[in-house]
Short mmCIF file of all heavy atoms in Angstrom, two decimals:
data_model
loop_
_atom_site.label_atom_id
_atom_site.label_comp_id
_atom_site.label_asym_id
_atom_site.label_seq_id
_atom_site.Cartn_x
_atom_site.Cartn_y
_atom_site.Cartn_z
N MET A 1 4.58 3.52 -19.34
CA MET A 1 3.54 4.06 -18.47
C MET A 1 3.82 3.56 -17.03
O MET A 1 4.05 2.41 -16.81
CB MET A 1 2.21 3.54 -18.94
CG MET A 1 1.07 4.04 -18.10
SD MET A 1 -0.56 3.70 -18.82
CE MET A 1 -0.84 2.07 -18.13
N LYS A 2 3.73 4.49 -16.12
CA LYS A 2 3.95 4.13 -14.69
C LYS A 2 2.63 3.75 -14.02
O LYS A 2 1.58 4.25 -14.38
CB LYS A 2 4.52 5.33 -13.97
CG LYS A 2 5.92 5.72 -14.45
CD LYS A 2 6.85 5.74 -13.28
CE LYS A 2 8.21 6.08 -13.81
NZ LYS A 2 9.20 5.79 -12.85
N ILE A 3 2.71 2.85 -13.07
CA ILE A 3 1.57 2.46 -12.27
C ILE A 3 1.40 3.50 -11.17
O ILE A 3 2.35 3.91 -10.53
CB ILE A 3 1.76 1.07 -11.67
CG1 ILE A 3 1.87 0.05 -12.78
CG2 ILE A 3 0.63 0.73 -10.71
CD1 ILE A 3 2.22 -1.36 -12.28
N THR A 4 0.14 3.94 -10.97
CA THR A 4 -0.14 4.94 -9.93
C THR A 4 -0.83 4.27 -8.77
O THR A 4 -1.51 3.23 -8.89
CB THR A 4 -1.07 6.05 -10.49
OG1 THR A 4 -2.28 5.44 -11.00
CG2 THR A 4 -0.37 6.83 -11.62
N HIS A 5 -0.67 4.82 -7.59
CA HIS A 5 -1.30 4.28 -6.40
C HIS A 5 -1.75 5.42 -5.46
O HIS A 5 -1.26 6.52 -5.52
CB HIS A 5 -0.43 3.29 -5.66
CG HIS A 5 0.64 3.90 -4.83
ND1 HIS A 5 0.47 4.13 -3.49
CD2 HIS A 5 1.88 4.36 -5.14
CE1 HIS A 5 1.58 4.68 -2.98
NE2 HIS A 5 2.44 4.84 -3.98
N ALA A 6 -2.71 5.05 -4.61
CA ALA A 6 -3.19 5.95 -3.56
C ALA A 6 -2.84 5.32 -2.22
O ALA A 6 -2.97 4.12 -2.05
CB ALA A 6 -4.69 6.15 -3.66
N SER A 7 -2.39 6.11 -1.30
CA SER A 7 -1.99 5.61 0.01
C SER A 7 -2.99 6.14 1.04
O SER A 7 -3.11 7.34 1.29
CB SER A 7 -0.56 6.13 0.34
OG SER A 7 -0.17 5.74 1.61
N LEU A 8 -3.66 5.21 1.69
CA LEU A 8 -4.62 5.57 2.76
C LEU A 8 -4.06 5.07 4.09
O LEU A 8 -3.43 4.04 4.18
CB LEU A 8 -5.98 4.93 2.48
CG LEU A 8 -6.58 5.26 1.10
CD1 LEU A 8 -7.89 4.50 0.95
CD2 LEU A 8 -6.80 6.76 0.97
N PHE A 9 -4.32 5.83 5.15
CA PHE A 9 -3.78 5.53 6.47
C PHE A 9 -2.24 5.38 6.36
O PHE A 9 -1.65 4.39 6.75
CB PHE A 9 -4.41 4.24 7.07
CG PHE A 9 -5.92 4.26 7.00
CD1 PHE A 9 -6.59 3.55 6.03
CD2 PHE A 9 -6.65 5.01 7.91
CE1 PHE A 9 -7.99 3.56 5.96
CE2 PHE A 9 -8.02 5.05 7.83
CZ PHE A 9 -8.69 4.31 6.85
N SER A 10 -1.63 6.40 5.80
CA SER A 10 -0.25 6.35 5.30
C SER A 10 0.84 6.31 6.31
O SER A 10 1.94 5.89 6.02
CB SER A 10 -0.05 7.56 4.39
OG SER A 10 -0.98 7.58 3.36
N GLY A 11 0.57 6.77 7.55
CA GLY A 11 1.63 6.79 8.53
C GLY A 11 2.73 7.74 8.10
O GLY A 11 2.49 8.85 7.70
N ILE A 12 4.00 7.24 8.10
CA ILE A 12 5.12 8.09 7.64
C ILE A 12 5.54 7.68 6.25
O ILE A 12 6.61 8.09 5.76
CB ILE A 12 6.27 8.06 8.61
CG1 ILE A 12 6.80 6.63 8.82
CG2 ILE A 12 5.90 8.71 9.95
CD1 ILE A 12 8.14 6.57 9.56
N GLY A 13 4.79 6.83 5.55
CA GLY A 13 5.05 6.55 4.15
C GLY A 13 5.90 5.32 3.88
O GLY A 13 6.50 5.20 2.83
N GLY A 14 5.93 4.33 4.77
CA GLY A 14 6.69 3.12 4.57
C GLY A 14 6.24 2.39 3.32
O GLY A 14 7.10 2.00 2.46
N PHE A 15 4.95 2.18 3.15
CA PHE A 15 4.43 1.50 1.95
C PHE A 15 4.64 2.38 0.71
O PHE A 15 4.85 1.91 -0.38
CB PHE A 15 2.98 1.10 2.13
CG PHE A 15 2.80 -0.05 3.06
CD1 PHE A 15 2.18 0.16 4.30
CD2 PHE A 15 3.28 -1.30 2.74
CE1 PHE A 15 2.02 -0.90 5.18
CE2 PHE A 15 3.14 -2.33 3.63
CZ PHE A 15 2.49 -2.17 4.88
N ASP A 16 4.50 3.69 0.88
CA ASP A 16 4.70 4.62 -0.26
C ASP A 16 6.13 4.52 -0.75
O ASP A 16 6.35 4.49 -1.95
CB ASP A 16 4.42 6.05 0.18
CG ASP A 16 3.01 6.25 0.70
OD1 ASP A 16 2.17 5.39 0.47
OD2 ASP A 16 2.75 7.29 1.29
N LEU A 17 7.10 4.44 0.17
CA LEU A 17 8.48 4.32 -0.23
C LEU A 17 8.73 2.99 -0.94
O LEU A 17 9.40 2.96 -1.99
CB LEU A 17 9.37 4.38 0.99
CG LEU A 17 10.88 4.35 0.76
CD1 LEU A 17 11.30 5.53 -0.08
CD2 LEU A 17 11.58 4.42 2.09
N ALA A 18 8.16 1.90 -0.47
CA ALA A 18 8.31 0.60 -1.11
C ALA A 18 7.66 0.66 -2.53
O ALA A 18 8.30 0.15 -3.48
CB ALA A 18 7.63 -0.48 -0.27
N ALA A 19 6.52 1.26 -2.66
CA ALA A 19 5.85 1.37 -3.95
C ALA A 19 6.71 2.18 -4.91
O ALA A 19 6.87 1.83 -6.09
CB ALA A 19 4.46 2.00 -3.78
N GLU A 20 7.30 3.23 -4.41
CA GLU A 20 8.20 4.11 -5.25
C GLU A 20 9.38 3.31 -5.72
O GLU A 20 9.79 3.42 -6.89
CB GLU A 20 8.62 5.30 -4.43
CG GLU A 20 9.37 6.32 -5.26
CD GLU A 20 9.65 7.58 -4.46
OE1 GLU A 20 10.71 7.56 -3.71
OE2 GLU A 20 8.89 8.52 -4.51
N HIS A 21 9.95 2.47 -4.85
CA HIS A 21 11.11 1.62 -5.24
C HIS A 21 10.72 0.60 -6.30
O HIS A 21 11.59 0.14 -7.04
CB HIS A 21 11.73 0.98 -4.04
CG HIS A 21 12.58 1.90 -3.22
ND1 HIS A 21 13.84 2.30 -3.64
CD2 HIS A 21 12.34 2.54 -2.08
CE1 HIS A 21 14.34 3.14 -2.71
NE2 HIS A 21 13.45 3.30 -1.80
N CYS A 22 9.44 0.24 -6.35
CA CYS A 22 8.95 -0.69 -7.36
C CYS A 22 8.53 0.00 -8.65
O CYS A 22 8.04 -0.60 -9.58
CB CYS A 22 7.77 -1.46 -6.82
SG CYS A 22 8.19 -2.63 -5.51
N GLY A 23 8.70 1.34 -8.69
CA GLY A 23 8.39 2.10 -9.90
C GLY A 23 7.00 2.73 -9.93
O GLY A 23 6.60 3.26 -10.97
N MET A 24 6.26 2.65 -8.84
CA MET A 24 4.93 3.24 -8.77
C MET A 24 5.02 4.73 -8.47
O MET A 24 5.96 5.21 -7.88
CB MET A 24 4.05 2.55 -7.76
CG MET A 24 3.80 1.12 -8.04
SD MET A 24 2.77 0.43 -6.73
CE MET A 24 2.88 -1.31 -7.16
N VAL A 25 3.96 5.45 -8.87
CA VAL A 25 3.86 6.90 -8.62
C VAL A 25 2.75 7.13 -7.57
O VAL A 25 1.64 6.69 -7.74
CB VAL A 25 3.57 7.69 -9.91
CG1 VAL A 25 3.34 9.16 -9.64
CG2 VAL A 25 4.66 7.48 -10.93
N ASN A 26 3.09 7.84 -6.48
CA ASN A 26 2.13 8.16 -5.44
C ASN A 26 1.30 9.34 -5.85
O ASN A 26 1.77 10.48 -5.99
CB ASN A 26 2.85 8.46 -4.15
CG ASN A 26 1.92 8.72 -2.99
OD1 ASN A 26 0.71 8.52 -3.11
ND2 ASN A 26 2.48 9.20 -1.90
N ILE A 27 0.03 9.11 -6.14
CA ILE A 27 -0.89 10.19 -6.54
C ILE A 27 -1.43 10.95 -5.31
O ILE A 27 -1.57 12.17 -5.34
CB ILE A 27 -2.08 9.65 -7.35
CG1 ILE A 27 -1.56 8.97 -8.61
CG2 ILE A 27 -3.11 10.69 -7.68
CD1 ILE A 27 -0.83 9.86 -9.59
N LEU A 28 -1.74 10.22 -4.25
CA LEU A 28 -2.29 10.87 -3.05
C LEU A 28 -1.95 10.05 -1.80
O LEU A 28 -1.66 8.84 -1.88
CB LEU A 28 -3.79 11.02 -3.18
CG LEU A 28 -4.69 9.79 -3.18
CD1 LEU A 28 -5.12 9.39 -1.79
CD2 LEU A 28 -5.91 10.05 -4.03
N HIS A 29 -1.97 10.72 -0.67
CA HIS A 29 -1.87 10.07 0.61
C HIS A 29 -2.87 10.72 1.56
O HIS A 29 -3.30 11.85 1.37
CB HIS A 29 -0.46 10.11 1.19
CG HIS A 29 0.19 11.42 1.14
ND1 HIS A 29 1.13 11.78 0.19
CD2 HIS A 29 0.07 12.54 1.92
CE1 HIS A 29 1.57 13.02 0.42
NE2 HIS A 29 0.91 13.47 1.46
N CYS A 30 -3.28 9.91 2.55
CA CYS A 30 -4.25 10.34 3.49
C CYS A 30 -3.79 9.94 4.90
O CYS A 30 -3.70 8.74 5.18
CB CYS A 30 -5.63 9.77 3.18
SG CYS A 30 -6.96 10.45 4.19
N GLU A 31 -3.52 10.90 5.74
CA GLU A 31 -3.01 10.64 7.07
C GLU A 31 -3.46 11.73 8.03
O GLU A 31 -3.36 12.91 7.67
CB GLU A 31 -1.48 10.54 7.06
CG GLU A 31 -0.84 10.38 8.45
CD GLU A 31 -1.31 9.17 9.20
OE1 GLU A 31 -1.42 8.07 8.57
OE2 GLU A 31 -1.56 9.27 10.40
N TRP A 32 -3.98 11.39 9.19
CA TRP A 32 -4.46 12.42 10.14
C TRP A 32 -3.36 12.89 11.08
O TRP A 32 -3.45 14.00 11.66
CB TRP A 32 -5.66 11.86 10.93
CG TRP A 32 -5.31 10.72 11.80
CD1 TRP A 32 -5.32 9.41 11.49
CD2 TRP A 32 -4.79 10.78 13.16
NE1 TRP A 32 -4.89 8.65 12.54
CE2 TRP A 32 -4.57 9.46 13.60
CE3 TRP A 32 -4.58 11.83 14.05
CZ2 TRP A 32 -4.09 9.17 14.85
CZ3 TRP A 32 -4.05 11.53 15.29
CH2 TRP A 32 -3.84 10.21 15.69
N ASN A 33 -2.35 12.12 11.31
CA ASN A 33 -1.28 12.48 12.28
C ASN A 33 -0.41 13.57 11.72
O ASN A 33 0.17 13.45 10.61
CB ASN A 33 -0.43 11.25 12.59
CG ASN A 33 0.69 11.52 13.57
OD1 ASN A 33 1.67 12.05 13.21
ND2 ASN A 33 0.40 11.21 14.83
N PRO A 34 -0.24 14.72 12.46
CA PRO A 34 0.53 15.84 11.95
C PRO A 34 1.96 15.52 11.62
O PRO A 34 2.49 15.97 10.60
CB PRO A 34 0.45 16.88 13.09
CG PRO A 34 -0.77 16.50 13.83
CD PRO A 34 -0.88 14.99 13.75
N PHE A 35 2.62 14.70 12.45
CA PHE A 35 4.02 14.34 12.15
C PHE A 35 4.10 13.51 10.84
O PHE A 35 4.93 13.78 9.99
CB PHE A 35 4.61 13.57 13.32
CG PHE A 35 6.02 13.07 13.03
CD1 PHE A 35 7.07 13.98 13.06
CD2 PHE A 35 6.28 11.75 12.76
CE1 PHE A 35 8.39 13.56 12.77
CE2 PHE A 35 7.57 11.30 12.46
CZ PHE A 35 8.64 12.24 12.51
N GLY A 36 3.23 12.52 10.72
CA GLY A 36 3.20 11.73 9.54
C GLY A 36 2.92 12.59 8.26
O GLY A 36 3.55 12.37 7.24
N ARG A 37 2.04 13.53 8.39
CA ARG A 37 1.73 14.44 7.24
C ARG A 37 2.92 15.26 6.86
O ARG A 37 3.21 15.46 5.65
CB ARG A 37 0.55 15.34 7.58
CG ARG A 37 -0.77 14.58 7.60
CD ARG A 37 -1.92 15.47 8.09
NE ARG A 37 -2.06 16.67 7.32
CZ ARG A 37 -2.67 16.78 6.16
NH1 ARG A 37 -3.20 15.73 5.59
NH2 ARG A 37 -2.76 17.93 5.52
N ARG A 38 3.74 15.73 7.80
CA ARG A 38 4.94 16.49 7.53
C ARG A 38 5.94 15.67 6.73
O ARG A 38 6.53 16.09 5.75
CB ARG A 38 5.59 17.03 8.79
CG ARG A 38 4.90 18.25 9.32
CD ARG A 38 5.78 18.98 10.34
NE ARG A 38 6.29 18.10 11.40
CZ ARG A 38 5.73 17.99 12.61
NH1 ARG A 38 4.72 18.72 12.94
NH2 ARG A 38 6.25 17.21 13.48
N ILE A 39 6.09 14.41 7.14
CA ILE A 39 7.02 13.47 6.48
C ILE A 39 6.52 13.20 5.06
O ILE A 39 7.30 13.28 4.09
CB ILE A 39 7.19 12.16 7.25
CG1 ILE A 39 7.70 12.38 8.65
CG2 ILE A 39 7.98 11.17 6.46
CD1 ILE A 39 9.11 12.96 8.70
N LEU A 40 5.27 12.89 4.89
CA LEU A 40 4.68 12.58 3.59
C LEU A 40 4.82 13.78 2.65
O LEU A 40 5.19 13.66 1.49
CB LEU A 40 3.22 12.19 3.74
CG LEU A 40 2.97 10.89 4.47
CD1 LEU A 40 1.49 10.80 4.86
CD2 LEU A 40 3.36 9.72 3.61
N ASN A 41 4.49 14.96 3.15
CA ASN A 41 4.56 16.16 2.31
C ASN A 41 5.99 16.55 1.91
O ASN A 41 6.21 17.12 0.90
CB ASN A 41 3.85 17.34 2.99
CG ASN A 41 2.36 17.13 3.07
OD1 ASN A 41 1.79 16.48 2.23
ND2 ASN A 41 1.75 17.70 4.06
N TYR A 42 6.93 16.16 2.78
CA TYR A 42 8.32 16.44 2.46
C TYR A 42 8.81 15.52 1.32
O TYR A 42 9.42 15.96 0.39
CB TYR A 42 9.19 16.22 3.70
CG TYR A 42 10.68 16.44 3.46
CD1 TYR A 42 11.20 17.72 3.44
CD2 TYR A 42 11.51 15.34 3.20
CE1 TYR A 42 12.55 17.89 3.17
CE2 TYR A 42 12.84 15.52 2.97
CZ TYR A 42 13.38 16.81 2.95
OH TYR A 42 14.70 16.98 2.70
N TYR A 43 8.54 14.20 1.45
CA TYR A 43 9.02 13.25 0.47
C TYR A 43 8.19 13.16 -0.81
O TYR A 43 8.70 12.76 -1.85
CB TYR A 43 9.17 11.86 1.12
CG TYR A 43 10.38 11.81 2.01
CD1 TYR A 43 10.24 11.83 3.38
CD2 TYR A 43 11.67 11.74 1.47
CE1 TYR A 43 11.37 11.83 4.20
CE2 TYR A 43 12.79 11.71 2.32
CZ TYR A 43 12.62 11.72 3.66
OH TYR A 43 13.76 11.71 4.45
N TRP A 44 6.90 13.48 -0.72
CA TRP A 44 6.01 13.40 -1.90
C TRP A 44 5.24 14.76 -2.03
O TRP A 44 4.05 14.82 -1.88
CB TRP A 44 5.03 12.23 -1.76
CG TRP A 44 5.79 10.93 -1.82
CD1 TRP A 44 6.18 10.31 -2.94
CD2 TRP A 44 6.17 10.12 -0.74
NE1 TRP A 44 6.86 9.17 -2.61
CE2 TRP A 44 6.84 9.02 -1.27
CE3 TRP A 44 6.06 10.25 0.63
CZ2 TRP A 44 7.41 8.03 -0.43
CZ3 TRP A 44 6.60 9.26 1.46
CH2 TRP A 44 7.27 8.18 0.90
N PRO A 45 5.97 15.84 -2.30
CA PRO A 45 5.33 17.14 -2.43
C PRO A 45 4.32 17.31 -3.56
O PRO A 45 3.49 18.16 -3.50
CB PRO A 45 6.52 18.10 -2.55
CG PRO A 45 7.58 17.28 -3.19
CD PRO A 45 7.42 15.90 -2.63
N LYS A 46 4.47 16.49 -4.59
CA LYS A 46 3.58 16.59 -5.74
C LYS A 46 2.28 15.81 -5.54
O LYS A 46 1.32 15.96 -6.30
CB LYS A 46 4.27 16.12 -7.00
CG LYS A 46 5.43 17.02 -7.42
CD LYS A 46 6.08 16.54 -8.68
CE LYS A 46 7.24 17.42 -9.02
NZ LYS A 46 7.94 16.95 -10.22
N ALA A 47 2.25 14.92 -4.57
CA ALA A 47 1.07 14.14 -4.29
C ALA A 47 0.02 14.96 -3.59
O ALA A 47 0.33 15.84 -2.80
CB ALA A 47 1.41 12.88 -3.42
N TYR A 48 -1.26 14.65 -3.87
CA TYR A 48 -2.34 15.30 -3.14
C TYR A 48 -2.28 14.81 -1.69
O TYR A 48 -2.05 13.64 -1.45
CB TYR A 48 -3.70 14.95 -3.73
CG TYR A 48 -3.93 15.54 -5.09
CD1 TYR A 48 -3.61 14.81 -6.25
CD2 TYR A 48 -4.43 16.83 -5.22
CE1 TYR A 48 -3.78 15.36 -7.49
CE2 TYR A 48 -4.64 17.42 -6.46
CZ TYR A 48 -4.32 16.66 -7.62
OH TYR A 48 -4.51 17.19 -8.87
N SER A 49 -2.52 15.67 -0.74
CA SER A 49 -2.42 15.35 0.67
C SER A 49 -3.78 15.58 1.37
O SER A 49 -4.27 16.71 1.31
CB SER A 49 -1.30 16.19 1.32
OG SER A 49 -1.20 15.85 2.68
N TYR A 50 -4.29 14.55 1.96
CA TYR A 50 -5.57 14.62 2.66
C TYR A 50 -5.38 14.25 4.12
O TYR A 50 -4.54 13.40 4.45
CB TYR A 50 -6.60 13.70 2.02
CG TYR A 50 -6.87 14.06 0.59
CD1 TYR A 50 -6.37 13.30 -0.48
CD2 TYR A 50 -7.69 15.19 0.27
CE1 TYR A 50 -6.60 13.63 -1.78
CE2 TYR A 50 -7.93 15.49 -1.06
CZ TYR A 50 -7.39 14.71 -2.09
OH TYR A 50 -7.64 15.06 -3.39
N GLU A 51 -6.22 14.84 4.97
CA GLU A 51 -6.08 14.62 6.39
C GLU A 51 -7.11 13.62 6.91
O GLU A 51 -6.78 12.59 7.49
CB GLU A 51 -6.18 15.91 7.15
CG GLU A 51 -5.97 15.75 8.64
CD GLU A 51 -5.94 17.09 9.36
OE1 GLU A 51 -5.88 18.14 8.73
OE2 GLU A 51 -5.92 17.07 10.60
N ASP A 52 -8.38 13.89 6.75
CA ASP A 52 -9.45 13.08 7.35
C ASP A 52 -10.15 12.29 6.26
O ASP A 52 -10.87 12.80 5.43
CB ASP A 52 -10.44 13.99 8.08
CG ASP A 52 -11.47 13.23 8.87
OD1 ASP A 52 -11.60 12.02 8.70
OD2 ASP A 52 -12.17 13.88 9.66
N ILE A 53 -9.99 10.98 6.29
CA ILE A 53 -10.56 10.11 5.28
C ILE A 53 -12.10 10.13 5.29
O ILE A 53 -12.69 9.98 4.25
CB ILE A 53 -10.03 8.67 5.44
CG1 ILE A 53 -10.30 7.86 4.13
CG2 ILE A 53 -10.65 7.98 6.65
CD1 ILE A 53 -9.55 6.59 4.08
N THR A 54 -12.66 10.47 6.46
CA THR A 54 -14.14 10.50 6.53
C THR A 54 -14.74 11.80 5.93
O THR A 54 -15.94 11.88 5.68
CB THR A 54 -14.66 10.34 7.97
OG1 THR A 54 -14.23 11.48 8.72
CG2 THR A 54 -14.13 9.06 8.60
N GLN A 55 -13.85 12.77 5.73
CA GLN A 55 -14.32 14.08 5.22
C GLN A 55 -13.80 14.34 3.80
O GLN A 55 -13.96 15.46 3.28
CB GLN A 55 -13.81 15.19 6.16
CG GLN A 55 -14.26 15.06 7.58
CD GLN A 55 -15.75 15.22 7.72
OE1 GLN A 55 -16.37 16.05 7.06
NE2 GLN A 55 -16.35 14.37 8.54
N THR A 56 -13.20 13.37 3.16
CA THR A 56 -12.58 13.57 1.87
C THR A 56 -13.41 12.91 0.75
O THR A 56 -13.82 11.75 0.88
CB THR A 56 -11.15 12.98 1.87
OG1 THR A 56 -10.42 13.61 2.92
CG2 THR A 56 -10.47 13.26 0.59
N ASP A 57 -13.57 13.63 -0.33
CA ASP A 57 -14.23 13.08 -1.51
C ASP A 57 -13.15 12.72 -2.52
O ASP A 57 -12.53 13.55 -3.12
CB ASP A 57 -15.20 14.14 -2.11
CG ASP A 57 -15.90 13.64 -3.36
OD1 ASP A 57 -15.83 12.44 -3.64
OD2 ASP A 57 -16.53 14.48 -4.00
N PHE A 58 -12.94 11.43 -2.67
CA PHE A 58 -11.90 10.94 -3.60
C PHE A 58 -12.36 10.80 -5.01
O PHE A 58 -11.62 10.30 -5.88
CB PHE A 58 -11.36 9.59 -3.06
CG PHE A 58 -10.61 9.69 -1.74
CD1 PHE A 58 -11.20 9.27 -0.59
CD2 PHE A 58 -9.37 10.26 -1.71
CE1 PHE A 58 -10.55 9.33 0.62
CE2 PHE A 58 -8.67 10.34 -0.49
CZ PHE A 58 -9.26 9.90 0.68
N ASN A 59 -13.59 11.20 -5.31
CA ASN A 59 -14.11 11.02 -6.65
C ASN A 59 -13.31 11.79 -7.72
O ASN A 59 -13.32 11.42 -8.87
CB ASN A 59 -15.61 11.49 -6.73
CG ASN A 59 -16.51 10.44 -6.14
OD1 ASN A 59 -16.28 9.23 -6.31
ND2 ASN A 59 -17.54 10.88 -5.41
N VAL A 60 -12.63 12.83 -7.31
CA VAL A 60 -11.83 13.60 -8.28
C VAL A 60 -10.67 12.76 -8.86
O VAL A 60 -10.13 13.07 -9.91
CB VAL A 60 -11.27 14.91 -7.69
CG1 VAL A 60 -12.38 15.83 -7.30
CG2 VAL A 60 -10.35 14.61 -6.51
N HIS A 61 -10.33 11.65 -8.17
CA HIS A 61 -9.23 10.80 -8.60
C HIS A 61 -9.75 9.54 -9.34
O HIS A 61 -8.98 8.70 -9.73
CB HIS A 61 -8.41 10.38 -7.40
CG HIS A 61 -7.82 11.55 -6.70
ND1 HIS A 61 -6.81 12.34 -7.21
CD2 HIS A 61 -8.15 12.06 -5.46
CE1 HIS A 61 -6.52 13.28 -6.35
NE2 HIS A 61 -7.31 13.15 -5.29
N ARG A 62 -11.07 9.47 -9.54
CA ARG A 62 -11.63 8.30 -10.19
C ARG A 62 -10.99 8.12 -11.60
O ARG A 62 -10.90 9.05 -12.37
CB ARG A 62 -13.15 8.49 -10.36
CG ARG A 62 -13.85 7.24 -10.92
CD ARG A 62 -15.32 7.50 -11.02
NE ARG A 62 -15.88 7.86 -9.75
CZ ARG A 62 -16.65 7.06 -8.99
NH1 ARG A 62 -16.89 5.85 -9.42
NH2 ARG A 62 -17.13 7.48 -7.84
N GLY A 63 -10.54 6.91 -11.81
CA GLY A 63 -9.93 6.59 -13.11
C GLY A 63 -8.47 6.94 -13.22
O GLY A 63 -7.85 6.67 -14.26
N THR A 64 -7.86 7.52 -12.19
CA THR A 64 -6.45 7.92 -12.25
C THR A 64 -5.55 7.01 -11.39
O THR A 64 -4.35 7.15 -11.47
CB THR A 64 -6.22 9.34 -11.84
OG1 THR A 64 -6.58 9.54 -10.47
CG2 THR A 64 -7.02 10.33 -12.70
N ILE A 65 -6.16 6.19 -10.59
CA ILE A 65 -5.41 5.30 -9.69
C ILE A 65 -5.48 3.86 -10.18
O ILE A 65 -6.57 3.33 -10.45
CB ILE A 65 -6.00 5.35 -8.24
CG1 ILE A 65 -6.12 6.81 -7.75
CG2 ILE A 65 -5.19 4.50 -7.29
CD1 ILE A 65 -4.82 7.53 -7.55
N ASP A 66 -4.29 3.23 -10.30
CA ASP A 66 -4.29 1.84 -10.76
C ASP A 66 -4.51 0.92 -9.56
O ASP A 66 -5.11 -0.10 -9.61
CB ASP A 66 -2.93 1.50 -11.38
CG ASP A 66 -2.72 2.27 -12.68
OD1 ASP A 66 -3.65 2.36 -13.47
OD2 ASP A 66 -1.59 2.77 -12.85
#
């Protein structure tokens, strides 16, 4: 079983990359910067992608993030 994580204020995914190298699976990321979002969506296309943390309801992920 893999450990799952959520990335908030993700930037260009530095912590996401480190987590991936440790065997974790990125379930979602949240970043408002357009350039950062392009990078995140390129490297983690299967992850849910959110833009504005203040406008996002993360309840759909309840119980799926370690």
Side-chain angles (χ1 to χ4, degrees):
M1 180 170 88
K2 295 233 179 197
I3 296 174
T4 58
H5 79 95
S7 177
L8 305 176
F9 310 103
S10 304
I12 59 169
F15 288 112
D16 301 346
L17 183 60
E20 188 175 85
H21 283 284
C22 291
M24 297 181 190
V25 176
N26 182 11
I27 299 298
L28 67 90
H29 48 259
C30 188
E31 175 59 42
W32 65 270
N33 180 279
F35 177 73
R37 288 175 54 81
R38 281 197 308 261
I39 300 297
L40 293 164
N41 291 332
Y42 178 82
Y43 285 104
W44 294 279
K46 294 181 181 178
Y48 292 92
S49 181
Y50 299 103
E51 184 173 352
D52 187 347
I53 197 166
T54 65
Q55 302 295 319
T56 303
D57 180 10
F58 294 105
N59 284 322
V60 297
H61 302 290
R62 185 180 303 256
T64 64
I65 308 294
D66 295 316

